[in-house]
Amino acid sequence: MSETENAVLPQQDGTAHRTEPESAPFVPALIVVDMQYDFVYGSLAVPGGSTIIEKINSLIDLPFKVKIATRDFHPGDHVSFAETHHKPVFSKTTIYHPDDKEQARGVEQVLWPVHCVATTGGADFVEGLNATAFDAVVHKGTHPCIESYSAFKDIWGKSLTALQGLLAEKGVTDVYFVGLAGDYCVKYTALDALEFGYKTWLVEDGIKSIKDDGVAFEEMAKKGMHLTTTKEVQELLAPNALN
């Protein structure tokens, strides 16, 4: 397993069955987003986060071409922390890229509890996750002044992580997403996957959101992403696994 950090380097039908000709290339990747202690049991726990661990493990066991995990890996004074700004948790402020000296491209930022601080237990993969099976781990949010919900790039799109290079190196065509949280880091990473040209799949029962209203799935489906389930992915990639 390798770890990468800040390196520069493609119809919603409700099924996992492909409609392209059999000769069309199909190279699937699994991306497990932010299954970390603080997002499951800690300071920013997503409701129901622990209930998807075994479902994700069942997908990790499948023959994906590459299996990649992402992690928030923040410094203790990260720009997304309410404590950094001396403001209430879940209040909002406007932040700017450190290179934006004229403050021309402000982005509204929700101020979170301190979470997933690098080298602390809160940033560790959650207990029970088969983390040894990952081919690579991509860290995000490592710069104190830069926020990154997507595992592809920061919120201003100025810096890329290694994720796109890892997928391109393996010739990936289809990307399957599971993890936390569906309305933040899963959502923005999946939107960027679509932008990079990958066929993008959301494994609904392998994702939990902060708001359990289904809005994030509806929004992403309208963008052209595909919704599927762990069972459908198992039937597609290992049809004998359920027998």
Side-chain angles (χ1 to χ4, degrees):
M1 180 183 74
S2 64
E3 291 200 358
T4 56
E5 180 174 348
N6 288 354
V8 179
L9 283 153
Q11 96 211 22
Q12 175 192 353
D13 57 16
T15 75
H17 299 291
R18 298 175 58 79
T19 58
E20 293 87 352
E22 290 185 2
S23 59
F26 175 58
V27 184
L30 178 67
I31 299 183
V32 178
V33 179
D34 296 2
M35 288 299 295
Q36 297 167 261
Y37 181 86
D38 272 349
F39 289 135
V40 178
Y41 301 116
S43 60
L44 196 49
V46 177
S50 63
T51 67
I52 62 174
I53 296 172
E54 288 310 313
K55 289 183 180 294
I56 292 174
N57 283 341
S58 73
L59 296 181
I60 291 174
D61 289 338
L62 296 176
F64 286 93
K65 182 68 173 180
V66 63
K67 304 164 190 177
I68 300 171
T70 75
R71 291 203 296 183
D72 268 11
F73 214 64
H74 297 313
D77 59 348
H78 192 249
V79 70
S80 72
F81 297 164
E83 185 176 284
T84 301
H85 301 268
H86 307 289
K87 291 188 175 184
V89 171
F90 304 124
S91 63
K92 296 180 180 179
T93 193
T94 300
I95 63 173
Y96 302 88
H97 192 279
D99 293 340
D100 183 9
K101 304 304 182 185
E102 297 181 356
Q103 296 191 340
R105 292 186 61 198
V107 175
E108 185 177 73
Q109 174 68 48
V110 177
L111 297 178
W112 305 109
V114 174
H115 64 277
C116 299
V117 173
T119 72
T120 70
D124 289 347
F125 288 118
V126 66
E127 183 178 354
L129 184 72
N130 184 14
T132 60
F134 295 130
D135 299 299
V137 178
V138 174
H139 288 163
K140 55 190 175 68
T142 60
H143 189 290
C145 299
I146 298 177
E147 175 68 306
S148 301
Y149 289 126
S150 170
F152 282 98
K153 56 190 178 184
D154 66 69
I155 59 175
W156 293 277
K158 294 176 71 71
S159 300
L160 297 179
T161 69
L163 182 54
Q164 163 58 5
L166 291 166
L167 297 174
E169 180 184 6
K170 298 296 184 180
V172 168
T173 59
D174 293 59
V175 180
Y176 290 79
F177 284 97
V178 293
L180 304 169
D183 40 0
Y184 280 93
C185 294
V186 173
K187 171 184 172 181
Y188 289 105
T189 307
L191 285 170
D192 281 345
L194 201 64
E195 182 180 313
F196 276 110
Y198 296 103
K199 191 166 186 178
T200 303
W201 300 83
L202 304 170
V203 185
E204 290 186 90
D205 57 335
I207 296 170
K208 287 294 182 181
S209 300
I210 293 175
K211 292 183 179 180
D212 190 21
D213 55 12
V215 172
F217 286 124
E218 292 174 7
E219 178 183 347
M220 289 186 280
K222 288 178 181 177
K223 296 285 187 180
M225 298 183 204
H226 304 260
L227 305 181
T228 187
T229 66
T230 53
K231 182 178 179 181
E232 289 169 347
V233 178
Q234 288 172 327
E235 290 173 344
L236 178 68
L237 295 182
N240 297 322
L242 302 181
N243 295 336

